[in-house]
Amino acid sequence: MRAEPPGPQHEWLDGDAGPVVRPYTLTGGRVRSAVDGFDLVAFVLAGSDLDLAAHPQLPPEHRRLVTLAGRPVSVAELAAELDLAVGVIRVLLGDLLAQGLVAVHEPPAGSDLPDDDILKAVVSGLRAL
């Protein structure tokens, strides 16, 4: 028989849910990253020679982010994979970036993108095929 956990019980929480951790506990109450915000489609990549054993002080969420960033992965994908809010992911990534454990590659600025007229012409040409 499973013992009931102490504290108030909620009908939406059962024994299989496991411990509930509020997002602000993962970020130490911070809501902004130490580094400017990351775009949702920015790619995160951990160093290929990174050894997590050399960083025993890293919390589990940071470790998971570094592991997932072993291949290029977007900020949005990391949030979905860890089932955390994007704001939380941005704060955690800021921590990792400040420690030099990951690199963040932002998408090109809007001025580097092709003109809308060119894109419309390409779409029209493809439709004509």
Side-chain angles (χ1 to χ4, degrees):
M1 179 176 227
R2 195 180 263 181
E4 289 295 318
Q9 298 299 309
H10 300 282
E11 61 219 27
W12 49 267
L13 183 64
D14 62 17
D16 294 333
V20 176
V21 177
R22 302 276 184 206
Y24 60 80
T25 60
L26 298 175
T27 64
R30 297 170 294 149
V31 294
R32 295 195 192 274
S33 171
V35 181
D36 285 338
F38 307 107
D39 196 291
L40 284 176
V41 294
F43 279 93
V44 180
L45 184 60
S48 59
D49 59 345
L50 181 64
D51 180 18
L52 282 176
H55 301 279
Q57 78 287 359
L58 280 180
E61 293 76 20
H62 287 84
R63 289 179 171 283
R64 183 83 171 116
L65 282 172
V66 171
T67 301
L68 290 171
R71 63 170 179 80
V73 60
S74 72
V75 173
E77 287 177 89
L78 290 170
E81 183 69 32
L82 290 177
D83 196 24
L84 291 172
V86 172
V88 172
I89 295 298
R90 286 178 171 150
V91 171
L92 298 179
L93 284 176
D95 296 344
L96 294 172
L97 188 62
Q99 294 179 41
L101 299 177
V102 297
V104 178
H105 305 280
E106 294 286 341
S111 62
D112 296 341
L113 298 175
D115 187 12
D116 285 344
D117 293 332
I118 293 173
L119 294 174
K120 288 176 185 176
V122 169
V123 170
S124 294
L126 289 172
R127 286 185 181 151
L129 292 175

